[in-house]
Amino acid sequence: MINVLNTHLYAQTITLFRYFMLGIVNRRLFGLLGILLLVAFLASGFVFELAIINSAQIASALMGDFLRYSFVLLALLMIVSNVAEDFESKQFGRLFTMPIARWQYIFAQILLIGCVAFILSIATLIVLLPGISFELALYWSTALCMEIFLVGLLGLIAILSLEKIPQAVFFTLAIYLLAKLSELIRQMLSYAVEYSDSSAANQFAEAIFNFILNIIPRLDAFAQNDLFFKSTGLLEALILQSQTVAVYAIFLITVSLVDFYRKEINQ
Amino acid sequence: MRSSERPLAELPRPLLFAFVLAFGVQVLMHQSNVTKASKEYRPLGKPFDAQVYARLSIGSRRLLSYLLSIRLQLHDNQAGRHVRYDQIDYLVLIEWLSQISQLNRQSEYPMMLASRIYTQTQDKPRLRSLLVFIDDQFAGQPQLHWRRQAEAILMAKHKLGDLELALEMAKRLADQPDTVQMPHWARDMHFLLLSDLNEFEAAILVVQALLKSGSITDPDELRYLKSKLSDFQQKLSETKQNR
């Protein structure tokens, strides 16, 4: 009996996921993907021509970073607009009249984020392979898959809480950039404390920032571009990243579940 | 919202004309400023500290170091024209090279720019400051920069005409321990420069020390050193006879 129920819930979640996928995978996505890949090729080809030494490595690293940021943004927009459509068309009201649990909606969205991250990382792998070793291309695409997955989860929380696309996108990008620039901000704050003779206001700001750091992803949760120039320790970097991403992803999933269960949905 | 707007054709003609005129004047004015600015040499601005670049790189520290190097490489080419090297402030240039080197300690790019591109200046004080910079960087990372040091020695000798500086740099190159791997010709520059300065006694001592050290096992190199030794000994005796 329990098995039948589990299978039914599983089938429902998969159906929801397939429904979401239909909303995302369309001709426009592949067109946009094609444009981004073309721009990446042109930009890295230009730098390849300019560089006097290490041309291939510099071009590959630039292509890797260009694809990283454009794919992160693309995935974020897709996920956020997908959930925003449900809010705008009052889809939740209709959806939850059916015997579907809220966690199923969240898990279908997580499957969607994973799928989007996987598709984009496969595109990255194919594009990078001619220029770099298979191991490095595999590392970068896997690391990028995890990075997109993480940003996608952040976007999911943002859109579930804020319900509007611009706010959700800006909030997610702010968290993403804050995580990436955390070292710079930390350094600025420590200098501010030092030069202001340890003033209470600056110490307070530093303490607040140190607290915020606890709830944003660490730098090792992201793909390490420096490895394009030193292809050793790929596996170690990947293991470290997967540990950080796993812990942070579980945290984000629980936050999104709490937030979604608290939401009043008008039937 | 859009459907409630009136078509442009229905607007008063003078208003449309004023809009097009104002737009045209604005674009022309901007373009004339851009053209004027692009013809003038734009000097290098001072770089930030390497630490700041490292933090700003958002995890792509090495890539940023290479992109900054390429940006510096292109500085001598502005608006499609080559900039004379004596227009460039070499103190700021060296500051840039130094910060980029600190940003990525494994990169040869800034040193390559120093030894191959910016040593093309005809201005001797500028060239000297660059060679001193290369020498300093070599002292910090001899294995990575021995090629640039060798190139700088040749520049000091032939372009700057400062044999003393070339000798000093060559001595530093030759004095590196065996753990620093480089071809024999690089270490040989020291005694060759000594002979150029007619310091045959010192050159003989250096070659003899090399032969006795046992570090040279290549038969061709051994033959070369022995031939140089006899050459220097002959020149020394000739010099003594001429006195």
Side-chain angles (χ1 to χ4, degrees):
Chain A
M1 182 66 182
I2 292 169
N3 271 349
V4 172
L5 193 66
N6 279 345
T7 315
H8 180 63
L9 289 175
Y10 171 77
Q12 271 185 332
T13 313
I14 294 294
T15 308
L16 259 179
F17 156 68
R18 286 170 67 181
Y19 169 72
F20 295 150
M21 272 304 277
L22 284 174
I24 277 186
V25 180
N26 52 28
R27 229 183 272 171
R28 205 191 310 165
L29 167 69
F30 290 106
L32 207 54
L33 208 59
I35 291 169
L36 287 173
L37 293 178
L38 182 69
V39 174
F41 260 119
L42 292 174
S44 62
F46 180 63
V47 168
F48 181 83
E49 293 296 326
L50 286 178
I52 302 172
I53 53 171
N54 303 112
S55 321
Q57 284 176 315
I58 299 170
S60 309
L62 183 70
M63 183 185 271
D65 248 10
F66 179 84
L67 291 179
R68 179 222 302 251
Y69 293 114
S70 48
F71 282 179
V72 159
L73 193 63
L74 181 67
L76 177 64
L77 288 172
M78 284 194 293
I79 290 150
V80 163
S81 56
N82 190 43
V83 181
E85 253 175 49
D86 288 344
F87 276 113
E88 278 175 20
S89 59
K90 309 233 185 282
Q91 190 76 355
F92 291 120
R94 283 193 287 278
L95 195 65
F96 294 122
T97 53
M98 291 186 267
I100 290 175
R102 293 191 185 204
W103 66 262
Q104 284 178 283
Y105 180 86
I106 296 291
F107 276 91
Q109 286 291 353
I110 292 167
L111 279 177
L112 175 78
I113 295 167
C115 206
V116 167
F118 182 73
I119 291 170
L120 294 178
S121 64
I122 290 293
T124 309
L125 179 69
I126 293 166
V127 170
L128 283 178
L129 260 182
I132 53 174
S133 67
F134 178 73
E135 291 81 10
L136 187 56
L138 191 65
Y139 160 75
W140 186 256
S141 50
T142 313
L144 185 59
C145 184
M146 288 194 268
E147 187 165 332
I148 294 172
F149 183 70
L150 210 60
V151 179
L153 284 178
L154 271 170
L156 179 65
I157 294 177
I159 191 66
L160 287 175
S161 309
L162 303 167
E163 299 181 16
K164 295 271 183 273
I165 296 177
Q167 287 92 324
V169 169
F170 281 117
F171 174 80
T172 312
L173 289 180
I175 298 284
Y176 183 56
L177 286 177
L178 192 65
K180 293 232 164 195
L181 292 170
S182 56
E183 288 296 311
L184 179 70
I185 299 168
R186 197 206 294 260
Q187 192 179 21
M188 283 162 65
L189 286 170
S190 65
Y191 280 150
V193 171
E194 195 181 319
Y195 289 118
S196 64
D197 294 329
S198 305
S199 84
N202 285 326
Q203 276 187 355
F204 180 69
E206 195 182 22
I208 293 283
F209 184 69
N210 283 334
F211 173 74
I212 292 171
L213 284 180
N214 287 310
I215 49 169
I216 60 171
R218 288 198 333 235
L219 264 181
D220 53 25
F222 306 116
Q224 305 294 312
N225 187 280
D226 281 354
L227 292 173
F228 274 98
F229 302 98
K230 185 194 77 164
S231 308
T232 52
L234 296 175
L235 190 63
E236 290 84 349
L238 214 53
I239 290 170
L240 184 65
Q241 189 188 358
S242 50
Q243 285 169 350
T244 313
V245 168
V247 172
Y248 198 68
I250 291 168
F251 167 63
L252 292 181
I253 291 167
T254 54
V255 172
S256 58
L257 281 169
V258 168
D259 191 56
F260 199 48
Y261 269 92
R262 287 188 64 212
K263 206 165 264 305
E264 285 291 351
I265 291 169
N266 298 321
Q267 301 278 321
Chain B
M1 184 72 184
R2 289 257 157 209
S3 58
S4 64
E5 284 178 359
R6 285 199 282 168
L8 280 174
E10 282 183 21
L11 295 181
R13 289 291 153 88
L15 180 60
L16 276 178
F17 177 73
F19 167 69
V20 172
L21 190 70
F23 179 68
V25 169
Q26 163 62 24
V27 170
L28 275 177
M29 200 163 170
H30 179 74
Q31 282 304 316
S32 69
N33 280 343
V34 168
T35 317
K36 193 180 164 192
S38 67
K39 280 179 187 165
E40 291 163 5
Y41 167 65
R42 275 175 288 123
L44 270 175
K46 283 205 166 192
F48 292 124
D49 190 78
Q51 284 291 318
V52 176
Y53 285 119
R55 307 293 189 224
L56 280 174
S57 66
I58 48 175
S60 305
R61 188 182 175 128
R62 292 187 190 190
L63 175 62
L64 180 66
S65 84
Y66 284 112
L67 293 178
L68 288 174
S69 301
I70 292 173
R71 184 241 185 224
L72 199 61
Q73 171 195 325
L74 298 177
H75 178 73
D76 65 355
N77 213 318
Q78 293 185 8
R81 286 175 306 153
H82 185 72
V83 170
R84 279 183 291 118
Y85 289 111
D86 57 8
Q87 281 184 287
I88 300 170
D89 184 340
Y90 266 51
L91 286 177
V92 179
L93 177 78
I94 288 169
E95 180 98 358
W96 268 103
L97 293 168
S98 171
Q99 296 304 331
I100 297 171
S101 295
Q102 282 178 47
L103 184 62
N104 181 2
R105 305 288 296 171
Q106 283 78 38
S107 170
E108 272 193 85
Y109 215 116
M111 289 291 280
M112 191 275 304
L113 289 180
S115 73
R116 295 266 178 92
I117 308 283
Y118 287 105
T119 47
Q120 288 176 34
T121 178
Q122 298 302 320
D123 183 73
K124 291 198 171 178
R126 281 183 166 82
L127 180 59
R128 182 182 297 278
S129 62
L130 210 53
L131 296 180
V132 169
F133 167 73
I134 294 172
D135 193 34
D136 286 347
Q137 293 291 312
F138 168 74
Q141 283 180 294
Q143 184 61 71
L144 188 65
H145 298 314
W146 66 264
R147 277 188 195 82
R148 308 304 160 208
Q149 180 79 348
E151 286 167 2
I153 292 165
L154 295 177
M155 283 286 171
K157 183 189 168 190
H158 296 291
K159 196 162 181 182
L160 191 63
D162 187 341
L163 276 174
E164 294 293 332
L165 177 65
L167 183 66
E168 202 180 302
M169 293 170 80
K171 186 173 184 315
R172 189 161 293 139
L173 190 66
D175 284 350
Q176 292 305 315
D178 290 342
T179 49
V180 178
Q181 291 173 351
M182 59 179 118
H184 295 302
W185 61 259
R187 291 181 198 267
D188 293 350
M189 290 174 102
H190 182 213
F191 65 75
L192 292 175
L193 278 165
L194 279 170
S195 76
D196 285 347
L197 282 164
N198 291 328
E199 300 277 353
F200 294 115
E201 280 178 51
I204 289 166
L205 284 174
V206 171
V207 179
Q208 281 175 338
L210 273 172
L211 287 168
K212 279 181 190 166
S213 69
S215 60
I216 293 160
T217 51
D218 179 40
D220 290 334
E221 179 66 10
L222 281 171
R223 203 177 309 120
Y224 171 74
L225 286 178
K226 281 173 186 167
S227 78
K228 276 288 162 193
L229 183 62
S230 64
D231 185 28
F232 293 157
Q233 283 166 337
Q234 194 180 344
K235 280 182 180 166
L236 180 65
S237 65
E238 280 172 12
T239 316
K240 281 180 179 169
Q241 279 170 6
N242 289 339
R243 280 178 198 162

